[in-house]
């Protein structure tokens, strides 16, 4: 099979021939149709993110594809089924040992998993763990790229499930102008939030969120002054905030985080999902008297995947909101550069290994 291979950090991806994978017990081989390219893929590939990834490898976390051959223990999957391949693989003897297939292994203990499921989705075929496969039902092959949005939507869905969002509640999404935050606004609406306060600094992107997602979204521009920003958030909410979903990135300051999370109301929940590195100064008395629950969340539970597929099928989430740009496999490096230059809540950059693997 042809694959876009990273041979060394800092080198471009090279189209090379790799051996075809073969399924065993517990695995499935998928013909990859479409694979998402994240905005920070360039930083993973140039080594600046210091991801644990043994090279050479065909990277690519997750895909949309069709079952080519299922292992002998699969009871339902059939050749030709359209599927979503989830990249998080958990060790069967210790579920906290995880890898993101084709992306990184999180601890040394997870290295055997990384070596077994070594290559990711930037390849014509991919070996996937059977339990990581979710059937989509019939889709138009032309829509395979758009279905890659599942990966974007599932991450905030995991946070909103962790925060126990209920219909009729008010949610604040902090970092709503980013890729995962913007998706979080759409998912919170789909789950029945009465209001979603969307905060960020980029006013154009905030306006676009309101225009696309409707009047339940209340956009609020952040200034960087903690007390002012908290006041603006509360004014936009015009009532109590039940749940805060924070997606601020590594570069954001503690004051930016605090402005948002401390706007939560009595009995509220705060879910931290971003990449912030600084320590927070939390007001003990406020947390105690308001009976606030603060938790982190990483990714999403497995049963979130078929639920999200059903939400899309039911029209609660409209994949047409994503602005899709697709690249054939032999333009993998152009795809990575495009994704880096076009980060944002609407943008979806997708590699199509089913097209143009000519190198
Ligand atoms: N927990 C998980 O399972 C999980 C999964 C995936 C990703 N993540 C993390 O989620 C975070 C967000 O990812 P993303 O892909 O959505 O990022 P992104 O698209 O780059 O968005 C980040 C947003 O943060 C805002 N921002 C606020 N303060 C900033 C500052 N000081 N510098 C730069 N940007 C700032 C920017 O919007 P404005 O300019 O409008 O403020 C930007 O749109 C990352 O840290 C990522 O590692 C977590």
């Amino acid at each position: 099979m042809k694959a876009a291979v990273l041979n060394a950090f800092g080198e471009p991806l090279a189209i090379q021939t790799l051996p075809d994978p073969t399924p065993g017990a517990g695995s499935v081989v998928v013909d990859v149709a479409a694979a998402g390219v994240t905005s920070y893929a360039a930083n993973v590939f140039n080594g600046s993110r210091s991801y644990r990834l043994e090279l050479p490898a065909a990277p690519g976390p997750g895909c949309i594809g069709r079952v080519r051959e299922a292992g002998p223990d699969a009871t339902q999957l059939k050749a030709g089924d359209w599927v979503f391949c989830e990249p998080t693989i958990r060790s069967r003897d210790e579920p906290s040992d995880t890898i993101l297939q084709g992306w990184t292994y999180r601890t040394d203990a997870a290295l055997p998993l990384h070596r077994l499921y070594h290559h990711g989705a930037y390849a014509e075929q991919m070996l996937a763990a059977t339990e990581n496969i979710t059937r989509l039902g019939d889709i138009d092959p032309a829509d395979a790229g758009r279905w890659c949005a599942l990966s974007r939507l599932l991450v905030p869905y995991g946070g909103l499930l962790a925060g126990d969002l209920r219909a009729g509640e008010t949610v604040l999404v902090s970092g709503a102008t980013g890729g995962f935050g913007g998706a979080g606004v759409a998912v919170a609406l789909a789950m029945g939030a009465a209001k979603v306060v969307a905060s960020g600094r980029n006013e154009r992107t905030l306006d676009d969120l309101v225009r696309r997602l409707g009047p339940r979204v209340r956009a609020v521009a952040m200034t960087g002054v903690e007390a002012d920003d908290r006041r603006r958030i509360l004014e936009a909410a015009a009532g109590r905030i039940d749940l805060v979903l924070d997606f601020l990135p590594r570069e954001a300051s503690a004051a930016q985080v605090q402005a948002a999370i401390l706007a939560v109301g009595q009995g509220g929940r705060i879910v931290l999902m971003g990449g912030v590195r600084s320590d927070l100064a939390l007001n003990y008395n406020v947390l105690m008297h308001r009976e606030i629950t603060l938790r982190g969340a990483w990714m999403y539970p497995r049963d979130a995947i078929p639920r999200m597929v059903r939400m899309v099928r039911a029209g609660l989430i409209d994949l047409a909101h994503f602005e899709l740009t697709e690249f054939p496999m032999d333009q993998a490096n152009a795809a990575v550069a495009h994704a880096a230059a076009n980060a944002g809540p609407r943008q979806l950059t997708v590699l199509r290994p089913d097209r143009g693997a000519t190198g």
Side-chain angles (χ1 to χ4, degrees):
M1 66 168 180
K2 297 286 185 196
V5 178
L6 184 66
N7 285 296
F9 291 111
E11 284 187 11
L13 297 168
I15 305 300
Q16 290 174 204
T17 302
L18 297 178
D20 287 356
T22 45
S27 61
V28 173
V29 172
V30 170
D31 285 318
V32 181
V37 182
T38 64
S39 59
Y40 61 94
N43 294 334
V44 175
F45 301 160
N46 69 20
S48 64
R49 279 234 167 182
S50 306
Y51 271 23
R52 294 159 180 255
L53 173 61
E54 285 194 335
L55 301 178
C63 73
I64 300 294
R66 303 186 87 155
V67 173
R68 183 182 183 88
E69 188 182 351
D73 55 340
T75 60
Q76 300 290 324
L77 294 170
K78 293 187 300 299
D81 283 349
W82 278 102
V83 292
F84 169 75
C85 298
E86 158 60 35
T88 307
I89 302 181
R90 296 183 185 277
S91 170
R92 290 177 183 164
D93 52 343
E94 178 44 71
S96 65
D97 291 331
T98 58
I99 63 164
L100 281 170
Q101 184 176 3
W103 213 233
T104 189
Y105 58 100
R106 299 187 69 220
T107 59
D108 288 341
L111 189 55
L113 275 182
H114 176 62
R115 289 185 175 159
L116 179 62
Y117 294 100
H118 187 60
H119 297 296
Y122 299 167
E124 288 176 314
Q125 296 172 37
M126 192 179 96
L127 182 73
T130 309
E131 65 271 24
N132 281 39
I133 299 285
T134 302
R135 283 182 295 170
L136 298 175
D138 284 341
I139 67 168
D140 183 340
D143 286 341
R146 213 164 270 293
W147 276 92
C148 288
L150 284 180
S151 303
R152 184 84 63 79
L153 295 159
L154 280 163
V155 174
Y157 187 38
L160 293 166
L161 289 173
D164 194 23
L165 173 61
R166 295 185 216 153
E169 291 191 321
T170 296
V171 179
L172 164 63
V173 179
S174 171
T177 50
F180 289 108
V185 176
V187 176
L189 293 173
M191 291 171 76
K195 286 181 236 172
V196 182
V197 180
S199 69
R201 297 170 306 175
N202 186 326
E203 295 193 36
R204 250 184 69 204
T205 306
L206 289 173
D207 290 345
D208 185 55
L209 277 173
V210 176
R211 192 179 49 74
R212 280 187 302 113
L213 297 175
R216 281 190 287 154
V217 181
R218 310 286 165 86
V220 52
M222 297 288 88
T223 64
V225 179
E226 183 178 336
D228 288 355
D229 284 344
R230 191 151 50 243
R231 183 180 44 74
R232 294 161 73 96
I233 286 168
L234 289 168
E235 281 170 10
R240 66 180 251 149
I241 293 172
D242 301 290
L243 173 60
V244 178
L245 180 65
D246 180 280
F247 262 111
L248 289 176
R250 185 180 290 243
E251 301 79 19
S253 67
Q256 283 180 274
V257 180
Q258 285 156 199
I261 68 172
L262 293 177
V264 76
Q266 180 72 34
R269 293 92 69 200
I270 301 166
V271 182
L272 303 179
M273 291 201 89
V276 176
R277 291 291 185 269
S278 43
D279 292 338
L280 300 178
L282 293 170
N283 186 313
Y284 187 115
N285 198 39
V286 168
L287 290 185
M288 183 274 286
H289 270 115
R290 283 197 216 152
E291 299 185 306
I292 289 166
T293 304
L294 170 70
R295 63 165 291 177
W298 186 75
M299 303 300 275
Y300 38 88
R302 189 168 290 152
D303 70 344
I305 305 170
R307 287 205 230 177
M308 178 54 71
V309 171
R310 290 198 293 271
M311 283 163 77
V312 173
R313 289 279 185 202
L316 291 164
I317 298 272
D318 185 359
L319 298 182
H321 278 306
F322 289 93
E323 202 171 89
L324 181 67
T325 312
E326 297 186 312
F327 292 84
M329 183 136 81
D330 53 11
Q331 289 178 28
N333 294 301
V336 172
H338 183 272
N342 293 277
R346 291 186 71 174
Q347 281 70 26
L348 197 61
T349 304
V350 166
L351 192 67
R352 295 290 306 238
D354 59 347
R355 298 178 191 158
T358 51

